[in-house]
């Protein structure tokens, strides 16, 4: 059955879909252009709104994802530069919706180097059953999304500006799908959560969304912000044999390069970085940075200086209990061997600290996490990577907890059949570690069609899906996830919801004692959290 909806740009034809959770029917409009293709002279520039079309646009199938080196398909280059599309999912025929529904806009993760809003990873089956409208989207990745040459033709952060334009499109058009344009929640995982937080810090995004959910990421996480974007641009030019010249000549040179070659060059730079800094918690080179071109700048300053201007909106934020499982697999392959040989790199490759202090501090960290054990790939190392990743994430939480709208905090601990990121992206660890790794909460919110044979939705897995989606959807509808259980976390009274087979409100902070140890040890001596 086809469904026709008319938006500002023209008419769209969507299709009926079937939920993997219950078999319930819902409607999907896929591959809707929200911007002009960012190709040719528009490469590296802020996005421009999509043009109108004649006739009925076929929104029954998805369009290309943004060009990337696919981490799942063995490193092949996939996707296209023509990728600025979004998908809208409604719990029923939009033309039959009488009372506008809450809207949830999802920004995907992937370290700013891979990922998409595709239903292969983010099918809205589970969430639409909670009677909300779900929007997923693509945005430009790696150098195509974050090259910053400090000139109007290449001002930086165009990927974040893609997200902003998509939100503007939603604001202007979602009523046509039965959505409430005055009740929009933006949420994301990993780099998507970092993006959401960047948008919350930007002076140019107020009014575009009303609530936010940060899953395992924030603007404060060290690997999500660059302080040396100029040298990265120069290094990329050298890798591609740029003969030298002005910044405008470099831009002209990079605009002439094939997008796949740019992607390969960026990935090569990233791998070289990981080899140079083994033990680094997280990865990414072309990421958000300060914009010196002030006209239209989303990030006119570093995140630390923008925190006091964070939008005062309801927020959910949290992490998984074993974030570090994934990041021990995404660092240099021989990281464990290098840590055994010189454990001090765990500090020097993550923080800027007086080198004279590093040996003693490293010994104290090693003793705290490993005791008398040898450093190896196991629970102790997973906990250490978890804490390194979340070290500054919790600074974001504390900042929000002092605001007039203190956040709802969670820790996702459930270990079930759908912990797909641990099972596949962190594969090769034997025996399989216990707990939920980075992004393992995501398959309990979205159905993932990437799997040819998905695990059956039974027992506790189904229960956790219903708990997660009802919490997220209730928050999107009302600003309160679960009135009779989950209370906000304030600076003086921290608390969080432990999401497992059961839901339990816990007094205190997530990873409380471990993070207190690290902060007491390192805060007095850290000169900078950023080494990139």
């Amino acid at each position: 059955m086809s469904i026709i909806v008319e938006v500002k740009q023209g008419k769209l034809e969507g299709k009926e879909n079937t939920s993997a959770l219950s078999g319930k029917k819902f409607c999907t409009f896929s591959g809707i252009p929200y911007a002009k293709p960012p190709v040719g002279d528009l490469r590296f520039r802020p996005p421009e709104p999509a043009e109108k079309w004649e006739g009925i646009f076929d929104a029954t199938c998805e369009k290309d994802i943004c060009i990337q080196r696919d981490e799942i398909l063995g490193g092949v280059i996939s996707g296209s530069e023509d990728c600025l599309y979004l998908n809208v999912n409604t719990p029923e025929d939009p033309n039959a919706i009488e009372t506008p529904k809450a809207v949830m806009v999802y920004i995907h993760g992937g370290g700013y180097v891979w990922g998409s809003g595709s239903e292969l990873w983010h099918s809205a089956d589970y969430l639409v059953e909670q009677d909300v409208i779900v929007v997923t989207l693509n945005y430009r990745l790696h150098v195509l999304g974050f090259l910053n040459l400090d000139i109007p033709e290449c001002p930086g952060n165009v990927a974040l500006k893609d997200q902003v334009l998509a939100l503007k499109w939603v604001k202007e058009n979602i009523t046509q799908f039965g959505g409430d344009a005055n009740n929009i929640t933006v949420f994301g995982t990993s780099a998507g959560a970092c993006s959401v937080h960047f948008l919350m810090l930007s002076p140019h995004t107020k009014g575009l969304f009303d609530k936010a959910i940060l899953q395992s990421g924030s603007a404060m996480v060290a690997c999500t912000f660059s302080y040396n974007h100029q040298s990265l641009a120069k290094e990329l030019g050298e890798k591609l044999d740029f003969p030298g010249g002005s910044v405008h000549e470099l831009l002209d040179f990079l605009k002439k390069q094939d997008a796949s070659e740019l992607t390969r060059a960026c990935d090569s730079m990233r791998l070289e970085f990981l080899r140079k800094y083994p033990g680094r918690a997280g990865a990414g080179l072309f990421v958000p940075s300060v914009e010196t071109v002030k006209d239209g700048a989303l990030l006119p300053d570093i995140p630390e200086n923008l925190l006091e201007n964070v939008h005062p909106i309801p927020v959910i934020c949290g992490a998984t209990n074993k974030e570090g499982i994934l990041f021990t697999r995404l660092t240099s392959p021989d990281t464990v061997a290098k840590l055994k040989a010189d454990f001090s790199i765990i500090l020097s490759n993550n923080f800027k600290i007086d080198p004279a202090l590093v040996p003693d501090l490293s010994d104290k960290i090693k003793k705290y996490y490993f005791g008398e054990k040898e450093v190896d790939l196991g629970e102790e190392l997973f906990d250490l990577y978890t804490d390194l990743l979340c070290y500054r994430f919790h600074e974001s939480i504390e900042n929000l907890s002092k605001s007039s709208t203190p956040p709802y905090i969670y820790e996702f601990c459930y270990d079930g059949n759908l912990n797909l990121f641990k099972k596949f992206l962190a594969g090769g660890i034997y025996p399989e570690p216990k707990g939920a790794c980075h992004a393992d909460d995501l398959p309990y919110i979205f159905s993932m069609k990437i799997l040819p044979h998905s695990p059956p939705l039974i027992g506790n897995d189904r229960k956790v899906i219903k708990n997660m989606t009802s919490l997220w959807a209730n928050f999107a509808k009302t600003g309160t996830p679960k009135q009779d259980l989950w209370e906000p976390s304030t600076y003086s009274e921290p608390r969080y919801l432990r999401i497992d087979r059961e839901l339990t409100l816990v007094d205190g902070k997530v990873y409380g004692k471990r993070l207190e140890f690290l902060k007491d040890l390192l805060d007095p001596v850290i000169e900078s959290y950023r080494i990139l």
Side-chain angles (χ1 to χ4, degrees):
M1 182 181 76
S2 66
I3 308 102
I4 306 296
V5 165
E6 187 166 3
V7 296
K8 300 281 186 182
Q9 292 79 22
K11 292 182 178 180
L12 295 163
E13 179 182 4
K15 66 179 181 181
E16 192 174 72
N17 221 327
T18 303
S19 170
L21 189 62
S22 68
K24 180 182 176 182
K25 301 297 183 182
F26 66 100
C27 297
T28 300
F29 299 81
S30 304
I32 305 171
Y34 67 86
K36 293 179 182 178
V39 300
D41 194 49
L42 294 183
R43 180 188 278 185
F44 304 127
R45 284 182 176 269
E48 297 183 4
E51 297 176 331
K52 293 184 177 181
W53 57 76
E54 298 292 331
I56 298 177
F57 185 89
D58 182 4
T60 63
C61 57
E62 294 185 324
K63 308 302 186 292
D64 281 345
I65 63 174
C66 294
I67 190 166
Q68 59 194 265
R69 177 184 176 273
D70 197 305
E71 301 278 351
I72 304 302
L73 300 178
V76 301
I77 303 296
S78 62
S80 164
E81 276 194 272
D82 180 4
C83 64
L84 299 185
Y85 299 93
L86 55 77
N87 312 304
V88 180
N89 302 272
T90 65
E92 57 186 292
D93 186 335
N95 300 298
I97 296 175
E98 297 181 356
T99 303
K101 300 183 184 298
V103 181
M104 302 185 70
V105 180
Y106 184 74
I107 299 177
H108 72 80
Y112 294 124
V113 295
W114 71 286
S116 74
S118 165
E119 71 170 14
L120 286 176
W121 290 100
H122 304 108
S123 184
D125 302 41
Y126 307 157
L127 278 170
V128 292
E129 294 210 17
Q130 298 294 336
D131 204 36
V132 293
I133 290 174
V134 181
V135 180
T136 61
L137 60 101
N138 299 334
Y139 56 90
R140 282 173 279 182
L141 301 171
H142 52 82
V143 66
L144 295 172
F146 293 102
L147 181 69
N148 185 349
L149 296 180
D150 297 309
I151 55 177
E153 299 88 347
C154 184
N157 297 332
V158 295
L160 297 180
K161 294 169 187 178
D162 293 343
Q163 297 166 13
V164 170
L165 187 58
L167 284 167
K168 288 180 178 178
W169 188 95
V170 171
K171 191 81 172 174
E172 292 176 352
N173 291 291
I174 204 64
T175 56
Q176 303 304 111
F177 297 88
D180 185 348
N182 295 313
N183 192 9
I184 296 172
T185 297
V186 61
F187 68 126
T189 302
S190 192
C194 299
S195 295
V196 172
H197 198 211
F198 282 124
L199 298 181
M200 291 174 64
L201 299 179
S202 174
H204 291 289
T205 57
K206 289 183 179 178
L208 285 180
F209 52 94
D210 308 281
K211 293 177 282 293
I213 302 175
L214 313 179
Q215 298 175 220
S216 300
S218 85
M220 300 300 290
V221 178
C223 60
T224 63
F225 196 81
S226 173
Y227 283 81
N228 67 340
H229 57 270
Q230 298 96 337
S231 61
L232 281 172
K234 181 181 178 182
E235 182 182 344
L236 176 64
E238 292 172 350
K239 181 167 283 292
L240 292 167
D241 297 323
F242 173 57
S246 70
V247 67
H248 286 92
E249 288 171 323
L250 174 60
L251 176 61
D252 289 341
F253 173 82
L254 292 176
K255 285 169 70 172
K256 294 174 182 176
Q257 304 303 307
D258 184 79
S260 61
E261 290 306 310
L262 284 174
T263 302
R264 290 189 181 91
C266 289
D267 197 62
S268 175
M269 288 172 62
R270 184 172 66 93
L271 294 176
E272 289 170 8
F273 175 80
L274 291 174
R275 284 191 289 268
K276 183 178 179 181
Y277 295 105
R280 174 81 163 157
L285 288 182
F286 289 95
V287 295
S289 58
V290 170
E291 295 166 57
T292 59
V293 179
K294 297 306 181 185
D295 185 20
L298 279 182
L299 300 178
D301 206 339
I302 61 175
E304 289 88 337
N305 294 341
L306 296 173
L307 281 178
E308 63 182 31
N309 297 318
V310 67
H311 300 185
I313 59 175
V315 177
I316 288 176
C317 53
T320 67
N321 67 332
K322 296 291 180 182
E323 294 275 343
I325 293 174
L326 183 64
F327 289 95
T328 55
R329 303 303 293 174
L330 294 183
T331 56
S332 177
D334 57 353
T335 291
V336 173
K338 290 183 177 180
L339 285 172
K340 288 180 179 180
D342 181 9
F343 189 75
S344 68
I345 63 174
I346 204 73
L347 281 185
S348 57
N349 288 351
N350 283 287
F351 307 103
K352 186 178 180 181
I353 299 175
D354 183 347
L357 301 176
V358 168
D360 180 59
L361 295 170
S362 300
D363 286 342
K364 289 178 179 177
I365 291 174
K366 183 178 179 181
K367 184 174 182 179
Y368 181 84
Y369 282 88
F370 295 91
E372 301 303 318
K373 290 184 179 180
E374 182 181 15
V375 175
D376 208 343
L377 189 63
E379 188 166 343
E380 296 82 7
L381 189 60
F382 302 149
D383 284 345
L384 177 54
Y385 266 91
T386 296
D387 297 345
L388 290 173
L389 179 73
C390 294
Y391 192 90
R392 299 209 75 199
F393 179 43
H394 281 264
E395 192 171 327
S396 308
I397 291 176
E398 291 200 350
N399 172 260
L400 292 168
S401 71
K402 298 175 184 177
S403 72
S404 58
T405 53
Y408 294 92
I409 309 301
Y410 75 90
E411 180 186 34
F412 184 86
C413 305
Y414 181 65
D415 192 349
N417 293 318
L418 299 181
N419 289 47
L420 303 181
F421 288 83
K422 180 177 72 173
K423 294 178 183 298
F424 295 98
L425 295 185
I429 304 174
Y430 183 82
E432 182 179 290
K434 296 179 180 179
C437 86
H438 184 72
D440 261 350
D441 49 350
L442 194 57
Y444 297 91
I445 298 171
F446 287 102
S447 173
M448 295 189 171
K449 312 296 187 185
I450 189 73
L451 299 177
H453 303 290
S454 298
L457 299 177
I458 58 175
N460 287 314
D461 294 345
R462 181 178 287 270
K463 179 180 179 180
V464 173
I465 288 171
K466 290 190 174 181
N467 279 339
M468 287 287 286
T469 54
S470 65
L471 290 169
W472 266 224
N474 286 344
F475 177 76
K477 294 172 186 176
T478 68
T480 303
K482 194 171 178 64
Q483 185 71 52
D484 59 345
L485 173 63
W486 199 353
E487 299 176 7
S489 179
T490 64
Y491 188 74
S492 59
E493 294 183 279
R495 57 179 67 89
Y496 64 93
L497 186 71
R498 179 179 291 138
I499 301 174
D500 205 328
R501 295 180 184 181
E502 306 297 333
L503 302 175
T504 308
L505 191 65
V506 180
D507 290 330
K509 301 176 181 179
V510 180
Y511 323 134
K513 290 184 178 180
R514 299 201 314 257
L515 280 183
E516 284 177 17
F517 162 77
L518 278 182
K519 291 184 74 64
D520 288 346
L521 184 70
L522 299 180
D523 274 4
V525 297
I526 287 177
E527 299 173 26
S528 173
Y529 295 96
R530 320 273 187 180
I531 62 168
L532 175 60

